Amino acid sequence: MESKDVEPNLYDRKCGSRQVLDRIGDRWSVLVVLTLADGTRRYGELAQRIDGVSQKMLTQTLRGLERDGLVTRTVHATVPPRVDYALTDLARTLLPLLAGLESWATTHLPEVEAARTRYDAHG
């Protein structure tokens, strides 16, 4: 679906906006973007900060974010090669939204956990 021909409609399964939502709503993408909010990081720094992400998943996430114009990848001609990742201006427009999501998740975690416990007790 060409965005210039038709208004984006998130509820239409053929609309590209769903792919955008998949990218920015993905757990690893959210964590990468939030980690890069404070500035440029190397791959190893990202891997160390984001507990539980596999090398494969981090690489896939970074490639997807780069493809979507949210992250830049800069290779420095050093030995060994140094690669830096940074947010683009487009990604920076996501920061207030993701910071709100992070705040909501951490603030309401006890309530969500209590709801899960109640649900599981009846399930």
Side-chain angles (χ1 to χ4, degrees):
M1 177 180 285
E2 295 289 326
S3 62
K4 62 184 174 189
D5 298 334
V6 178
E7 285 293 315
N9 178 356
L10 189 61
Y11 298 95
D12 180 348
R13 69 177 170 204
K14 295 178 268 178
C15 184
S17 62
R18 283 205 183 174
Q19 292 174 339
V20 174
L21 186 61
D22 285 344
R23 172 73 58 222
I24 63 172
D26 172 69
R27 154 184 47 178
W28 301 121
S29 294
V30 169
L31 293 173
V32 167
V33 170
L34 288 172
T35 300
L36 291 172
D38 294 331
T40 302
R41 299 265 191 266
R42 295 175 74 175
Y43 183 93
E45 292 173 314
L46 290 167
Q48 183 178 8
R49 174 73 175 115
I50 303 170
D51 186 35
V53 69
S54 68
Q55 181 177 352
K56 178 183 176 184
M57 189 52 64
L58 181 55
T59 298
Q60 286 177 352
T61 300
L62 287 165
R63 285 181 182 158
L65 289 168
E66 183 179 10
R67 180 174 183 249
D68 288 350
L70 300 173
V71 166
T72 59
R73 180 179 183 266
T74 305
V75 180
H76 301 278
T78 59
V79 178
R82 177 179 161 184
V83 181
D84 291 330
Y85 294 92
L87 295 181
T88 63
D89 290 340
L90 178 61
R92 292 202 168 280
T93 66
L94 281 171
L95 290 177
L97 301 170
L98 296 182
L101 184 60
E102 177 185 30
S103 175
W104 187 93
T106 56
T107 299
H108 296 284
L109 178 60
E111 295 163 82
V112 171
E113 289 176 334
R116 288 176 180 167
T117 299
R118 288 190 304 274
Y119 180 90
D120 292 346
H122 295 0

